[in-house]
Every structure is written in structure tokens, then in C-alpha cells.
Amino acid sequence: MNEKKAPEIRFKGFTDDWEQRKLGEVGETYTGLSGKSKDDFGHGSGKFITYMNVFSNPVASSNMTEAIEIDDSQNKVQFGDVLFTTSSETPDEVGMSSVWLENAENTYLNSFCFGYRPTTEYNPYYLAYMLRSSSMRKKITFLAQGISRYNISKNKMMDIEMPIPSIDEQKQIGEYFRNLDNLITLHQRKHKKLLSVKKSMLEKMFPQNGAKVPEIRFEGFTDDWEQRKLGDMVSFSKGSGYSKGDMKEDGTPIILYGRLYTKYETIISEVDTFVDEKKGSVFSKGGEVIVPASGETAEDISIASVVEKSGVLLGGDLNIITPPDEMDSAFLAISISNGKPHNDMAKMAQGKSVVHLHNTDLEKIDLPYPSYDEQRRISGFFSDLDNLITLHQRELDKLVNIKKSMLEKMFV
């Protein structure tokens, strides 16, 4: 007798227990492309679904296919087929599934995947997300075998039991996750577009190739930009030594150089790492521009951020720049992180496994700059843009977490 269960969260009106059926009882498998050489790919009127398409998408994308000659001896993918990857570098990523929902003719599956064709009616969107639920992923991961690379047997996969509610409940669940994925995609596109806008404006709102004015300016500003060595305009200092091992759950807020790569934007207004204060520590007064003194690549350390608040500890491996009153801190940080100053800094960074950048290097940077009022308008524009980018990133993270939670709670 089949075991019957129910998930933690269900749509209203559904109360029946779910059945459990083995994949092999309700569907059949077929292989991907075989007997092909490199010369067979990249041309022809046929298409094959790539490995990354299957790996990345619960519902396979028609855009992630590549050309191949039509070959009637190969298995063809049909609408509603489930596609599984057969190998990966980690057990957690083996056996990833994707459902094909296109009616395209002469479509094949890459040789590193196998196909599964249900012989019983299922909602295809339900299958797409059920097979990526946490409970099913645990069952699939358990079957992964290997050392440096992990593989999965399609025959053993067919012994896995999957949960099956009524077709009406399947439709509701499938539609819920389909709409959630559409919303996630929408925010991803908006986020990507905003990043593209920022990149474009960073090029157009700063002088390029020796020009004295940028391509785009705010109304009312017409004067040429000046240019001076950074060392002639600001004062320099260094942070004091703290490491990751010094961090606590609470205490005095501190900025460590590594967080500039992973956490902070141009303006650091909130700090979420803490330590117990040591004698001789360096504290921010507010408005300092900080630049990493070491990192893995020259590009990594050629960035800058503004410490907005006073009383924040500034850790070791930080170059500290204190601008004069007539220099806007955020404008300075944006200038250092982009364009010619950024490229000049990257050229000065030296080292092999770890690269270093010193205050004596920063002193030599040529900095183009306009009037203080124009600096403020520019930094304000990018601050608003960064806030909008962060807003969409937070909304995107929230939706991804909701999806992860629902994949645990809406399946058995």
C-alpha cells in the first residue's frame, strides 16, 4: 500500500493525503545525444538543450539551446518531458531537473543529461518545482556517487518515490511557483537594468580620455573640471590591526577591509561587525574615505567607500583618506572607484598571491573634479541610484527566501 502524507502548507479546500509513487512506475527514461563529435555541433537546423539550461532552470529555457544537425536516430525531447543532469562537481548539484514546455521539432538533449517522459498525467509546473523541493533533492543527492566528480544512475533514480496530490492541487501549486519565479525574474531584470544604468552614467558623468568636461552634466554647470594630484589635496592615515578572529556578536562597530568587497556600497551608513576595543585603535570621525591596502587582485583593492558615522573602528589594511572641506567625500570615493583614477590605482597595486596598495601610491593619483556644488549633485545622484539598486536587491533576496521556504513547506 502506498504511503500517504500531506505537506505543512496547502491551498484552501485540499485535505486529501498525498500518494507516493516511484518515478519508474509512472514514466520512462531515454538517453541524451550519443556518438557525436565536436564537428557535429554548432550548425544545422536541429537544436539541443544545453547542460546549463537543465541545471539552472526548473522550466527549461528555449533561449538556452544550440544548433546541431537533425539526426532521426537520436531521442527527441517532447513537451512535458523532465530532463535530469547525470553528473556534477558536488553531490548537492547532481541530478538537477528541468521540464521542457516547448513544442519545437527536432530538439535533442545534451549527452550529460537523460530524459524522463511521464506516462501518467501530471501538471508540468508541479513536476518542475516538486523535483526541486528540498525533500526530493535530499533523495536525489543521497544517490550521488563519486570522488572528484559525482554521478547518478538513471535506473536508481527511477526507484525514488515522489509525492503526488490530485491534479487540481498540482495545478495550484505549479501556478504559485510559476508566478513566484516570474516575479523573481522581473526583479532580476530591474536590478540588472539599474546596474547597467549606473555603469553607463559612471562613464558619461566623469570626463573621459583627457577631456575637461563630462558628456552628461546637471543643468547650470558649465565650468571645466580641474585636475590635481590626490596627495596635494587630502591627508592620509592607516587603520589599526584587527582580524576576523577578533570579531564578537556585539561590541564596538568595526570595518575590516574584506567587507569592502562583499558588503558595503559607496557610503557605509550601518556596520554589522563588532570587536572589543584595543588600545591605540583608530576611530572614524565621519566622512573619511577608505581604500583597501591589500586584496587578491588589483581590481579588488582599487575601490573606495565613505564612512558616514563617527566612532567606527577602522581596521588594519585600510588606507584612510581625509578630504578637505571643499571636497565631497562621496564624490571622491566614486571617483577613485571608477574611470582613470581606478585604472591608475590598479596599475600601482603590486604583489603575487596578495596585492598591496599604499598611501604613497594613492598620493600620485590624478583626480579630475568640478566645483563642490557639482560634486554634491553627482554624489547625490549615485547615492539615490545605489539606494534603488539595494531596494531591488533586498526585494529579490526576500522573494528567493520565500521560494526556498515554500519549496520546503508545500511538498512532502
Side-chain angles (χ1 to χ4, degrees):
M1 182 179 293
N2 290 328
E3 184 182 3
K4 295 184 178 182
K5 298 180 180 180
E8 181 180 344
I9 293 179
R10 303 180 79 173
F11 288 100
K12 188 176 181 180
F14 297 104
T15 57
D16 292 342
D17 286 342
W18 289 21
E19 293 185 31
Q20 296 280 338
R21 298 287 298 277
K22 289 183 179 180
L23 286 170
E25 295 174 349
V26 290
E28 301 171 344
T29 64
Y30 60 88
T31 58
L33 290 167
S34 62
K36 297 292 180 182
S37 66
K38 290 182 180 180
D39 295 336
D40 295 317
F41 296 93
H43 53 84
S45 54
K47 297 287 185 182
F48 74 93
I49 303 165
T50 65
Y51 175 94
M52 285 307 299
N53 192 352
V54 178
F55 181 86
S56 306
N57 303 304
V59 177
S61 170
S62 59
N63 295 325
M64 295 177 68
T65 59
E66 296 182 9
I68 193 170
E69 295 288 349
I70 294 174
D71 183 351
D72 290 333
S73 69
Q74 302 288 330
N75 294 308
K76 296 180 181 180
V77 181
Q78 298 178 9
F79 181 96
D81 284 0
V82 182
L83 318 173
F84 290 96
T85 63
T86 56
S87 65
S88 185
E89 293 181 356
T90 68
D92 291 338
E93 295 180 341
V94 78
M96 298 300 290
S97 58
S98 186
V99 176
W100 181 249
L101 297 180
E102 302 290 334
N103 285 307
E105 295 183 352
N106 300 312
T107 302
Y108 308 95
L109 182 59
N110 71 84
S111 57
F112 299 102
C113 294
F114 73 88
Y116 172 78
R117 187 164 296 154
T119 53
T120 303
E121 181 188 3
Y122 295 105
N123 178 267
Y125 288 100
Y126 171 79
L127 282 181
Y129 296 103
M130 176 272 293
L131 289 167
R132 289 197 173 224
S133 66
S134 58
S135 57
M136 287 299 292
R137 288 301 309 155
K138 286 178 183 176
K139 293 178 182 179
I140 294 171
T141 300
F142 181 76
L143 297 177
Q145 295 182 330
I147 300 175
S148 60
R149 190 165 185 88
Y150 293 84
N151 300 286
I152 196 163
S153 163
K154 68 177 181 179
N155 292 328
K156 289 185 178 180
M157 281 276 285
M158 292 303 100
D159 287 331
I160 292 178
E161 290 188 336
M162 65 176 179
I164 306 172
S166 68
I167 193 68
D168 288 338
E169 190 168 5
Q170 289 180 37
K171 289 178 181 177
Q172 290 245 28
I173 294 170
E175 192 64 18
Y176 171 82
F177 282 102
R178 181 185 181 185
N179 291 335
L180 190 56
D181 260 357
N182 287 339
L183 197 56
I184 289 171
T185 299
L186 180 64
H187 279 280
Q188 285 173 332
R189 286 175 181 166
K190 287 182 177 179
H191 185 258
K192 185 177 180 179
K193 184 177 180 180
L194 286 169
L195 289 174
S196 180
V197 168
K198 180 180 179 180
K199 180 180 179 181
S200 176
M201 297 309 287
L202 283 169
E203 293 176 356
K204 294 180 179 181
M205 292 181 71
F206 290 85
Q208 302 292 317
N209 303 319
K212 293 186 177 181
V213 295
E215 179 182 342
I216 294 177
R217 302 181 81 173
F218 290 101
E219 188 177 354
F221 298 104
T222 58
D223 293 341
D224 288 350
W225 286 32
E226 296 185 42
Q227 179 170 294
R228 294 173 64 187
K229 296 289 184 185
L230 194 59
D232 296 333
M233 304 170 64
V234 304
S235 60
F236 297 92
S237 57
K238 288 277 292 182
S240 56
Y242 285 86
S243 67
K244 287 183 180 179
D246 295 317
M247 289 197 292
K248 308 284 186 180
E249 289 292 325
D250 52 30
T252 305
I254 186 171
I255 298 172
L256 298 175
Y257 79 97
R259 301 283 279 176
L260 297 184
Y261 313 136
T262 59
K263 168 70 178 177
Y264 299 121
E265 298 290 344
T266 301
I267 298 176
I268 303 173
S269 54
E270 298 295 333
V271 179
D272 61 359
T273 47
F274 307 90
V275 294
D276 291 333
E277 179 188 343
K278 297 179 182 178
K279 186 176 180 180
S281 295
V282 177
F283 287 88
S284 67
K285 295 180 181 178
E288 292 94 340
V289 175
I290 52 177
V291 177
S294 62
E296 293 184 2
T297 71
E299 289 293 320
D300 280 345
I301 64 176
S302 303
I303 58 173
S305 297
V306 178
V307 185
E308 188 175 56
K309 297 179 180 179
S310 63
V312 178
L313 279 169
L314 302 178
D317 267 352
L318 283 178
N319 297 308
I320 304 169
I321 303 172
T322 304
D325 293 339
E326 62 271 19
M327 176 67 65
D328 178 64
S329 297
F331 172 84
L332 176 58
I334 295 167
S335 298
I336 289 176
S337 302
N338 300 279
K340 189 173 184 300
H342 170 78
N343 294 333
D344 290 345
M345 285 169 59
K347 291 175 183 177
M348 293 177 182
Q350 296 180 349
K352 293 182 180 179
S353 58
V354 177
V355 294
H356 301 279
L357 191 65
H358 307 288
N359 282 326
T360 51
D361 299 318
L362 298 176
E363 290 175 354
K364 304 170 187 175
I365 298 296
D366 290 319
L367 182 75
Y369 64 97
S371 67
Y372 181 76
D373 287 341
E374 190 170 3
Q375 292 175 39
R376 292 282 293 171
R377 290 292 299 273
I378 293 170
S379 65
F381 170 82
F382 284 104
S383 176
D384 291 342
L385 192 55
D386 276 344
N387 288 338
L388 196 56
I389 290 170
T390 300
L391 182 67
H392 279 286
Q393 183 63 59
R394 286 175 180 168
E395 188 64 25
L396 181 58
D397 291 343
K398 180 181 177 182
L399 288 169
V400 169
N401 286 333
I402 288 173
K403 180 181 176 181
K404 181 180 178 181
S405 177
M406 291 298 104
L407 284 171
E408 294 177 357
K409 297 178 179 179
M410 292 184 70
F411 298 95
V412 296

